[in-house]
Amino acid sequence: MTALTKDRLTSEREGRLVSDPLATGATIYAGSMYVLDAAGDATPATAAATTPVRAVARKRAAHADGDTATDGSLGCFCFDNSAGAAEIKRTDIGAACYAADDQTVKKTGTCRAGTVVDIDTRGVWVRVGA
């Protein structure tokens, strides 16, 4: 491509909403964290995943129901906290946290969920998405 020599209509979006193809056989529940697999398809977040959390599902999507995509949101969301050594504490605010499963976060791991924003009686508030 070359540099512009005239005006161009450039598409724009807020960047908070995403839509990703659904992995074969996957079911992603509304409100859950999901990641993209090696093919770029959405699959539920797990502790074993090595890719970061892509987004939080806006609605349930199931490949068995004929869904081919999942809609996600980027932003700040509240998730369950792990227990024991994996528990996230107030001293971890500002640090990275990791998915223990599609609704729980923990202090360490391989599947980065996002950045800890706050902790309250409801759980751990996490900024998800780049």
Side-chain angles (χ1 to χ4, degrees):
M1 303 297 310
T2 58
L4 291 176
T5 58
K6 63 180 182 176
D7 295 339
R8 174 184 188 267
L9 178 60
T10 301
S11 299
E12 177 184 15
R13 65 182 187 187
E14 183 182 332
R16 202 176 84 71
L17 302 178
V18 294
S19 184
D20 297 295
L22 188 60
T24 301
T27 297
I28 297 177
Y29 295 96
S32 70
M33 294 180 278
Y34 70 87
V35 298
L36 299 181
D37 65 14
D41 297 334
T43 189
T46 65
T50 57
T51 57
V53 169
R54 162 74 164 152
V56 173
R58 299 180 66 215
K59 63 182 181 178
R60 182 179 184 272
H63 194 261
D65 293 342
D67 296 328
T68 58
T70 187
D71 294 330
S73 293
L74 311 177
C76 190
F77 302 92
C78 188
F79 297 107
D80 291 342
N81 199 349
S82 290
E87 181 180 2
I88 296 169
K89 301 186 175 165
R90 290 202 56 81
T91 54
D92 297 310
I93 291 173
C97 65
Y98 301 84
D101 56 40
D102 60 359
Q103 68 168 346
T104 310
V105 291
K106 60 184 183 170
K107 189 179 287 206
T108 62
T110 58
C111 181
R112 189 177 194 279
T115 303
V116 177
V117 173
D118 200 5
I119 300 171
D120 62 21
T121 57
R122 291 176 283 180
V124 181
W125 290 88
V126 178
R127 178 151 320 276
V128 174

